[in-house]
Amino acid sequence: MKINTSDILSAVNQYGTPAYIYDGEQLVSNYKNLKNALPNFVDVFYALKVNPNVSLVKLLRSQGACTEVCSITELEIALKAGSTPEDIIYLGPCKKDYELKRAIELGIYAIVIESETELERVSSFANNAGVTANVAIRINPDFSAEGSPWKMGGRPTHFGIEEKQAIQNFGSYLATPNIHVQGIHVYNGTNILEAQSVFENTSYILNLYDQISQKYHYHFTMVDVGGGMGVPYFQNQEPLDITMFKELMVPLFTSFHDKYPDTRIIMESGRFIIGTAGAMAVQVNNLKSNHGKLFAVTDGGTNCHSAAAGSGRVVKRNFPIQNISAGSDTAKKMYQVSGPLCSPDDIIGRNIELNEIHLDDILLVKLSGAYGPTSSPVLFHSHGYPAEILLYQDESFLIREKDTSMDIINKQIEVDFKHTKLITN
Ligand SMILES: Cc1ncc(COP(=O)(O)O)c(C=O)c1O
C-alpha cells in the first residue's frame, strides 16, 4: 500500500473509525501482476468471499477480472459490479434451492458441484426450468498442497467429491439429464508462498483433468486449478516469488493448452490480489497500564479484523501496525494494542513496539485487504460493520458506510408482550 499517511488521516477524519482504507492503484497493480505472470489464455477469477465490496469488485472487473461467488448476495454483487454470467462461477458446500435456481436462470458459466446429491438437485431444477445447466465437478483430490496453512483438499473436508469416487462415477455425471459438465474444479489451499507448491498443485489437477478426459473420451471445456497464492504477513515470511511463479506456470499451462486448446483454464485468487491493498485504521480511545503492560485500547479489534487478532491460530503473531499520527523519529514503546471487546483475546498487537501513542492517535493495521470485516464477527457488542474508503486516482470515495446503531437495532423485532405483566420498580 503506497498511500501517504496524510491522505489516510484526512480520509478517516472525514468518515470516522474504525475504517478500512483501500489503495485502488495497488489493487489494480496486484491484479495485473498476477495476470501478467500467466499466459493470456488463463482467466483469473476474483473470489468475492475475500472482500465483496462492490466498488472494489467493479475496479477489478474494469481490469478484466472474472468472479467467483459463494452465495446469492455475492452473485448479485458480482452482477452489480459488471460481471456477466459467462464470467461467473458459483461454488460452496451449502447452496439453497433459490440460490441454485437463480444461478440456473442466469445461465452462469459454471455451478461448481460439491456433491452427487447437489448434482441431482441442479438437474431437477434445470429440468423444471426447461434448460441445461452448466456445471463443474469439484474434486477433493488425494493430494494436498504443500505450504498451505489451511487445506481444503487432500483430507476429509465438506468440499467436493472424493477423487476416487469422482473418477469412478464421472460417466453418470456426464449422463445426468439437463446437465452440461464444463469440466473439473479443485481448490486445495490458501496463503501459499512457494511458487513450487502452486506449480505442483496445478500439475496434479491438470493431470487429473487429462486422466478423466481420457477415461471417458469426453471433450471438456474447463479446468479450474484453484490458486491460493499468498501474502507474507509475518516476520521471516518471504513474498511469493512472482518471477519464479511465471517461469514455472507459463510452460505448464502452455503445454496443457497445446493439448487442450478449447479448454478454459481458470485460476482463482483473492488474498494475493487484495491483501496488500487494504489497511484497517483504528483510533486510540484509552491508554492504560495493567499488570506491568501498557495497553492502547482502540475502537476496532477482533470484531472488525479477526485475522489480525489471530482468531483460529494457535500461535498469535502480529500483523504490521504503524502509529500514523506519530512521526517516525519519535521514541518507541512496547504496547499491547486491544480492540473494544470485553474479551481478553481481543488483542491485535501483542508486545509490539510502536512510536509513542497518544490519545486519539490513528493506528494502521497493514496487509488487511483480504478476509477483514467480511470474515469477522462485526456484530459482537453491536458495534457493526466498519466504514470502507477507497483512495484511487487522487480521490477518496466512501465505499461503505459504517453501521449506525439504528442499522443494527432496526433489524431486531421488538415483541409486544400483551399478556405478560412487566415488572417495573
Ligand atoms: C474455493 C475457493 N476459491 C478461492 C478462495 C480464495 O482463496 P485465496 O484468498 O487464497 O486466494 C478460497 C478460499 O478459501 C476458496 O475456498
Side-chain angles (χ1 to χ4, degrees), residues 288-295 336 351:
K288 61 201 280 187
S289 168
N290 201 313
H291 284 274
K293 300 239 178 189
L294 188 53
F295 284 79
Q336 316 301 311
N351 301 319

Side-chain angles (χ1 to χ4, degrees), residues 47 49-50 68 91 152 187 190-191 228 268-271 371:
K49 65 176 78 61
V50 179
E68 177 258 291
L91 50 91
M152 284 80 174
Y187 194 90
T190 182
N191 209 22
E268 293 174 35
S269 178
R271 193 190 302 273
Y371 304 101

Side-chain angles (χ1 to χ4, degrees), residues 242-254:
I242 199 75
T243 312
M244 184 178 172
F245 175 88
K246 184 173 183 172
E247 280 167 12
L248 291 168
M249 303 304 278
V250 172
L252 178 66
F253 283 135
T254 305

Side-chain angles (χ1 to χ4, degrees), residues 178-404:
N178 300 82
I179 291 291
H180 170 238
V181 181
Q182 302 268 37
I184 64 165
H185 170 284
V186 179
Y187 194 90
N188 251 349
T190 182
N191 209 22
I192 303 169
L193 292 169
E194 277 91 40
Q196 182 67 30
S197 172
V198 182
F199 169 80
E200 281 165 18
N201 188 38
T202 310
S203 308
Y204 190 93
I205 299 160
L206 297 179
N207 277 330
L208 198 54
Y209 179 95
D210 203 31
Q211 201 186 327
I212 298 172
S213 307
Q214 308 282 340
K215 177 166 179 193
Y216 290 96
H217 306 289
Y218 191 79
H219 187 88
F220 291 108
T221 42
M222 158 203 169
V223 61
D224 183 331
V225 298
M229 289 71 72
V231 163
Y233 292 102
F234 309 119
Q235 271 179 353
N236 307 324
Q237 286 186 325
E238 292 295 326
L240 179 79
D241 183 339
I242 199 75
T243 312
M244 184 178 172
F245 175 88
K246 184 173 183 172
E247 280 167 12
L248 291 168
M249 303 304 278
V250 172
L252 178 66
F253 283 135
T254 305
S255 66
F256 178 86
H257 182 66
D258 289 345
K259 188 164 178 192
Y260 295 104
D262 304 330
T263 299
R264 184 179 193 181
I265 305 173
I266 294 176
M267 275 206 106
E268 293 174 35
S269 178
R271 193 190 302 273
F272 182 87
I273 294 176
I274 204 162
T276 58
M280 178 176 76
V282 292
Q283 186 165 40
V284 177
N285 170 275
N286 199 357
L287 283 164
K288 61 201 280 187
S289 168
N290 201 313
H291 284 274
K293 300 239 178 189
L294 188 53
F295 284 79
V297 181
T298 75
D299 58 2
T302 316
N303 53 320
C304 300
H305 199 341
S306 68
S311 303
R313 284 178 185 277
V314 181
V315 182
K316 317 268 188 206
R317 290 194 279 176
N318 296 328
F319 274 46
I321 300 182
Q322 186 188 345
N323 177 3
I324 58 169
S325 300
S328 55
D329 51 354
T330 55
K332 290 195 165 183
K333 282 190 176 174
M334 182 78 83
Y335 292 95
Q336 316 301 311
V337 180
S338 88
L341 305 180
C342 304
S343 151
D345 252 6
D346 187 24
I347 302 287
I348 47 171
R350 292 175 171 78
N351 301 319
I352 188 168
E353 273 214 325
L354 296 170
N355 291 106
E356 189 170 0
I357 299 178
H358 298 96
L359 278 187
D360 296 334
D361 278 359
I362 301 292
L363 309 185
L364 202 62
V365 183
K366 298 177 184 176
L367 303 177
S368 299
Y371 304 101
T374 183
S375 61
S376 303
V378 294
L379 287 179
F380 201 18
H381 290 28
S382 300
H383 284 300
Y385 215 95
E388 295 190 294
I389 302 160
L390 170 64
L391 302 179
Y392 185 53
Q393 294 179 332
D394 298 325
E395 280 190 79
S396 84
F397 305 91
L398 180 66
I399 58 170
R400 181 178 175 121
E401 289 176 13
K402 190 164 135 47
D403 279 356
T404 63

